[in-house]
């Protein structure tokens, strides 16, 4: 019996929504169902990967164009010298937050529904950070000097400025990539052992032997595995909260209207979780449909994630309103002017896309009927991600376009095709990793789902 | 490609069985836990138990105690915290750039570097601690192993020989082992 099958409410809900009641799951069928995803790819998967690689190629050509011709081909127009690339950076770091939330924070809170969804969320985290990490490098214009960001001894004894939020970012994002990758790969160890023991040829066996580190499932290994897993969760939780706070300080530490605000850290963290959970819902819905895993990822799981989207949407909506309130009530005329301009000026459309997608549309999730309807939920989560991309765009571009110097207010940023192609290429970069992940590593935690099955007991008195 | 496949198979093949002992395969958790208790009472301390998921009953029967990995993680965290602060302080003192007469060693911004370094080193130590204490990586099996142990069966391996092996075999059978193999 699965977690869902053990939960009478989940069974009722499955029946009410018309899904076939979950078949009885045994350890063997669970192994088979998760490992069937690793079988030779079908036409659909190959076609998706081919399309993805074409988009990635276009993005790569645009990047080549920028490297050869210089940053002039990006749409930067003084004073808007941060635009699509930094928007993408913040967006992808935000996407990356869901994995650690689902795997670490919900693990510490003993929220068992995470077991069926956390591997997908963790994979999304690792690939999200890999995508985010590209953009500061793309934005420098001279990516071959990106290593200057890291502290290393030089002949001139010149060090990076550790008082700069941009240097904090280097530490925060690289730490996040390292820890979330370790967390992801450590979680895979027992499942890779399952795949190794069922490998169909020597290459598969070698591959999964490497990923499983030769795991045998001895009690000694389990003891240290769960000991370490607890500490990973314990250190990843403050890490996830710090990373987007540090990213928000890239802006909040500058004395620019629209950026210089103490609300930024919690506001960014809530926004990150909001967009990350929305994307993980999208991915889960697609995966369970493609591999017919409705009994592993039930509507009950999706509903619980939808509640997280609703919660974080209200925090994000509250933050938007508080920003306006602070501007209206506070002493800064420049701040007041900026916020009025943000909602009614040149970029009014971006602001209202953001507000509609992130605040108004998610209000529909108060309805249980909508939360438990995967098709509607999928569309709402798509809107959330569009809205969250625009949120970063609005914060970055409108604040720079309407700073202290009125003479620059008429200069308006327009995204160039190079930026658009690199942005699309980043999505392709992310999905390329994700598609490959689905075919080479178990996308669901076999061991943790197995723990929810009833342990076989003969019932002898001990 | 066939030669490569054969080479990989050879590399991954278990070493010839030089070990001596008894391997029991169990389906029921309470059977396995009772076997472990009896074997330990009979003086077998070096036994290994394999299972697809950890079972509390078996942990208790083995009297395992808590993992010590937390201390390794803590040490890494302390090193990371001090290392992060030390890096920042060393860098500003080794190349002083005084801006607006402000203090060179400004601790509040260095907290971020110290904090992130603490988490980074704690995480890396946690990983190394887990691998070292769990005796991983283990690319070749060190004892008899069965693929069913990653599905739904529990294995108990007891290193022993001679008459002792016969007694262990009887204990396992008495507790409902599905299969008992003696490696002599």
């Amino acid at each position: 019996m699965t977690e869902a099958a053990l939960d009478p409410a989940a069974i009722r809900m499955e029946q009410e929504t018309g899904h076939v009641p979950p078949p009885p799951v045994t350890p063997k069928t669970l192994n088979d169902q998760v490992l069937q995803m690793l079988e030779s790819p079908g036409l659909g998967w190959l076609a998706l990967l081919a399309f993805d690689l074409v988009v990635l190629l276009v993005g790569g050509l645009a990047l080549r164009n920028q490297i050869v011709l210089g940053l002039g081909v990006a749409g930067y127009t003084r004073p808007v010298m941060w635009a699509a690339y930094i928007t993408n950076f913040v967006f992808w770091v935000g996407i990356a937050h869901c994995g650690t939330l689902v795997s670490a924070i919900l693990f510490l809170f003993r929220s068992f529904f995470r077991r069926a969804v956390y591997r997908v969320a963790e994979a999304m985290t690792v690939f999200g950070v890999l995508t985010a990490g590209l953009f500061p490098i793309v934005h420098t214009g001279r990516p071959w000097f990106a290593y200057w960001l890291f502290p290393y001894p030089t002949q001139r004894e010149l060090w990076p400025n550790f008082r700069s939020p941009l240097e904090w970012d280097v530490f925060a994002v690289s730490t996040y990539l390292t820890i979330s990758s370790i967390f992801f790969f450590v979680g895979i160890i027992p499942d890779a052992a399952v795949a190794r023991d069922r490998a169909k040829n020597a290459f598969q066996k070698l591959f999964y032997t490497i990923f499983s580190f030769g795991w045998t499932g001895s009690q000694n290994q389990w003891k240290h595995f769960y000991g370490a897993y607890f500490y990973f969760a314990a250190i990843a939780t403050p890490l996830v909260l710090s990373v987007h706070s540090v990213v928000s300080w890239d802006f909040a530490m500058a004395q620019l209207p629209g950026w210089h605000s103490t609300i930024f850290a919690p506001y960014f963290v809530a926004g990150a979780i909001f967009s990350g959970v929305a994307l993980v819902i999208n991915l889960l819905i697609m995966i369970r449909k493609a591999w017919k895993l409705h009994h592993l990822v039930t509507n009950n799981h999706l509903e619980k994630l939808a509640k997280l989207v609703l919660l974080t949407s209200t925090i994000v909506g509250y933050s938007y309103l508080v920003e306006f309130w602070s501007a209206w009530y506070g002493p800064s005329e420049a701040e007041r002017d900026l916020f009025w301009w943000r909602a009614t000026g040149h970029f009014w459309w971006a602001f209202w896309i953001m507000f509609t997608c992130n605040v108004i549309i998610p209000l529909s999730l108060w309805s249980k009927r909508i939360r438990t309807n995967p098709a509607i939920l999928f569309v709402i989560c798509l809107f959330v991600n569009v809205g969250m991309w625009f949120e970063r765009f609005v914060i970055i571009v409108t604040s720079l376009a309407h700073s202290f110097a009125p003479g620059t207010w008429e200069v308006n940023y327009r995204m160039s095709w190079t930026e658009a192609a690199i942005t699309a290429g980043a999505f392709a970069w992310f999905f390329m990793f994700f598609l490959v992940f689905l075919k080479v590593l178990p996308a669901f935690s076999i061991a943790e789902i197995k723990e929810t099955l009833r342990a076989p007991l003969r019932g002898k008195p001990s | 490609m066939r030669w490569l496949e054969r080479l990989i198979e050879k590399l991954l093949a278990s070493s010839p069985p030089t070990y001596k002992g008894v391997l029991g395969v169990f389906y029921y958790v309470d059977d396995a836990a009772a076997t472990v208790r009896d074997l330990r009472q009979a003086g077998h301390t070096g036994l290994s138990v394999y299972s697809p998921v950890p079972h509390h009953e078996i942990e208790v029967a083995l009297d395992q105690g808590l993992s010590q990995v937390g201390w390794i993680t803590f040490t890494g965290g302390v090193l990371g915290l001090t290392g992060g602060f030390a890096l920042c302080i060393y860098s500003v003192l080794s190349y002083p750039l005084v801006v607006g007469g402000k203090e060179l060693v400004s601790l509040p911004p260095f907290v971020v570097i110290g904090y992130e370094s603490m988490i980074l080193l704690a995480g890396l130590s946690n990983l190394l601690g887990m691998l070292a204490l769990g005796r991983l990586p283990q690319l070749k099996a060190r004892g008899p192993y069965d693929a069913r142990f990653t599905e739904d069966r529990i294995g108990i391996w007891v290193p022993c020989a001679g008459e002792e092996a016969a007694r262990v075999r009887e204990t396992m059978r008495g507790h409902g082992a599905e299969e008992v193999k003696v490696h002599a």
Side-chain angles (χ1 to χ4, degrees):
Chain A
M1 302 291 276
T2 59
E3 177 188 358
L6 291 174
D7 176 3
I11 295 175
R12 250 197 328 275
M13 192 171 65
E14 293 285 352
Q15 287 166 344
E16 281 165 13
T17 51
H19 283 299
V20 180
V25 174
T26 63
K28 185 182 180 332
T29 59
L30 181 65
N31 284 356
D32 294 344
Q33 282 158 1
V34 176
L35 297 181
Q36 56 141 347
M37 296 176 71
L38 308 181
E39 283 168 8
S40 303
L43 264 183
W45 184 90
L46 288 170
L48 262 178
L49 185 69
F51 173 72
D52 185 88
L53 291 177
V54 170
V55 178
L56 183 61
L57 181 68
V58 172
L61 289 174
L63 180 60
R64 180 218 166 256
N65 192 39
Q66 179 175 291
I67 289 171
V68 171
L69 299 175
L71 270 178
V73 297
Y76 295 154
T77 317
R78 208 173 293 275
V80 185
M81 301 303 283
W82 282 13
Y85 299 148
I86 303 299
T87 299
N88 283 321
F89 166 67
V90 184
F91 174 78
W92 284 107
V93 175
I95 288 296
H97 271 56
C98 174
T100 314
L101 173 99
V102 171
S103 53
I105 300 179
L106 297 185
F107 175 81
L108 295 178
F109 278 97
R110 300 289 184 265
S111 248
F112 293 121
F113 86 91
R114 67 177 270 289
R115 288 177 165 170
V117 299
Y118 84 89
R119 179 69 50 72
V120 169
E122 276 184 2
M124 198 185 77
T125 288
V126 174
F127 308 143
V129 189
L130 279 177
T131 314
L134 293 178
F135 281 98
I137 297 169
V138 170
H139 174 73
T140 58
R142 292 187 293 172
W144 52 94
F145 290 130
Y147 69 94
W148 285 1
L149 292 163
F150 292 95
Y152 64 95
T154 68
Q155 279 182 319
R156 292 180 295 162
E157 292 184 22
L158 195 60
W159 294 91
N161 180 6
F162 291 110
R163 296 187 194 89
S164 163
L166 303 182
E167 190 57 28
W168 300 348
D169 245 3
V170 174
F171 274 73
V173 174
S174 50
T175 299
Y176 193 50
L177 176 62
T178 311
I179 299 297
S180 54
S181 303
I182 292 174
F183 206 17
F184 174 61
F185 288 114
V186 164
I188 283 177
I189 289 175
D191 298 337
V194 177
R196 173 203 61 201
D197 290 347
R198 279 141 200 87
K200 289 180 181 149
N201 57 53
F203 300 109
Q204 278 185 4
K205 195 164 181 77
L206 177 68
F207 181 79
Y208 292 116
T209 300
I210 291 168
F211 269 92
S212 67
F213 284 75
W215 177 268
T216 53
S218 73
Q219 289 300 306
N220 182 54
Q221 287 175 351
W222 278 120
K223 174 174 109 172
H224 297 299
F225 175 83
Y226 270 114
Y229 204 84
F230 170 78
Y231 289 107
F232 274 127
I235 59 176
T237 300
L239 177 64
V240 73
L241 300 178
S242 78
V243 173
H244 226 54
S245 301
V246 168
V247 169
S248 81
W249 294 335
D250 288 345
F251 309 101
M253 290 288 163
Q255 293 185 347
L256 189 74
W259 284 7
H260 193 58
S261 165
T262 52
I263 201 178
F264 260 40
Y267 164 29
F268 268 52
V269 171
I273 295 168
F274 180 45
S275 59
V277 179
L279 188 57
V280 90
I281 291 176
N282 285 142
L283 294 171
L284 282 169
I285 290 175
M286 288 192 282
I287 291 169
R288 78 174 198 159
K289 186 154 180 69
W291 278 280
K292 299 182 177 57
L293 296 171
H294 293 76
H295 54 288
L296 280 189
V297 183
T298 64
N299 281 1
N300 191 29
H301 290 112
L302 296 178
E303 195 206 353
K304 282 178 173 153
L305 289 171
K307 283 179 181 170
L308 269 176
V309 172
L310 179 61
L311 170 72
T312 44
S313 161
T314 54
I315 298 173
V316 166
Y318 173 77
S319 305
Y320 294 162
L321 298 178
V322 162
E323 276 194 311
F324 274 85
W325 161 266
S326 306
W328 174 74
Y329 196 66
S332 169
E333 202 177 314
E335 186 97 359
R336 248 190 324 271
D337 189 56
L338 168 80
F339 275 94
W340 180 250
W341 185 80
R342 198 179 258 185
T344 61
H346 183 78
F347 291 107
W348 65 270
W349 50 274
F351 175 85
W352 288 105
I353 288 176
M354 167 194 94
F355 198 84
T356 309
C357 293
N358 296 345
V359 183
I360 296 170
I361 293 176
L363 285 178
S364 58
L365 294 174
W366 283 104
S367 156
K368 187 180 172 80
R369 193 181 288 263
I370 289 179
R371 288 200 305 270
T372 52
N373 184 323
I376 301 178
L377 190 58
F378 185 84
V379 175
I380 291 172
C381 290
L382 279 183
F383 274 118
V384 167
N385 273 304
V386 171
M388 285 308 293
W389 192 90
F390 273 97
E391 181 200 283
R392 280 63 184 252
F393 179 86
V394 166
I395 290 172
I396 293 165
V397 173
T398 64
S399 304
L400 286 169
H402 206 76
S403 62
F404 292 111
T408 63
W409 289 356
E410 292 305 314
V411 179
N412 284 312
Y413 161 78
R414 177 175 289 197
M415 190 192 250
S416 72
W417 78 264
T418 304
E419 287 172 300
I422 291 176
T423 300
F427 278 87
W429 169 263
F430 172 85
F431 280 105
M432 173 188 74
F433 283 114
F434 199 83
L435 283 168
V436 173
F437 155 72
L438 289 177
K439 275 286 146 205
V440 298
L441 291 171
F444 294 93
S445 171
I446 300 172
E448 287 211 35
I449 298 175
K450 228 177 244 181
E451 278 182 59
T452 63
L453 310 184
R454 230 185 280 282
L457 293 170
R458 195 192 289 275
K460 279 193 308 194
S462 57
Chain B
M1 291 306 270
R2 188 67 204 136
W3 65 269
L4 188 57
E5 219 168 318
R6 272 202 296 273
L7 180 67
I8 294 169
E9 275 163 7
K10 203 171 170 185
L11 281 172
L12 295 177
S14 308
S15 41
T18 51
Y19 34 74
K20 287 181 178 170
V22 184
L23 178 74
V25 180
F26 293 80
Y27 178 65
Y28 292 105
V29 178
D30 43 358
D31 284 355
T35 310
V36 169
R37 262 194 305 274
D38 280 4
L39 288 171
R40 291 191 75 229
Q41 272 170 10
H44 295 282
T45 49
L47 45 88
S48 308
V49 183
Y50 306 100
S51 60
V53 293
H55 292 292
H56 187 59
E57 295 88 338
I58 296 173
E59 274 173 40
V60 173
L62 281 169
D63 196 16
Q64 274 194 311
L66 293 172
S67 170
Q68 300 301 306
V69 73
W71 290 106
I72 300 171
T73 313
F74 176 75
T75 310
V78 171
L79 282 175
L81 185 70
T82 47
F85 272 104
L87 174 66
C88 298
I89 294 168
Y90 167 75
S91 73
V92 291
L93 294 180
S94 77
Y95 197 119
L97 280 170
V98 181
V99 180
K102 285 184 274 188
E103 286 285 339
L104 279 173
V105 178
S106 42
L107 290 178
F110 296 169
V111 166
V112 178
I113 306 293
Y115 180 85
E116 299 296 343
S117 307
M118 175 185 75
I119 290 177
L120 179 65
L121 260 76
L124 291 171
S125 331
N126 195 30
L127 172 70
L128 292 177
M130 185 202 85
L131 295 178
L133 295 171
R135 306 281 187 272
L136 294 169
Q138 188 185 312
L139 296 185
K140 283 190 177 185
R142 287 180 191 150
Y145 175 77
D146 194 304
R148 288 174 291 175
F149 301 155
T150 51
E151 190 165 293
D152 57 356
R153 294 296 193 270
I154 298 165
I156 300 178
W157 164 248
V158 187
C160 56
E163 283 183 18
E164 191 114 47
R167 277 199 294 274
V168 169
R169 187 180 59 194
E170 287 318 307
T171 308
M172 287 181 172
R173 284 204 173 135
H175 280 294
E178 287 184 336
E179 199 178 305
V180 181
K181 280 183 204 165
V182 178
H183 295 259

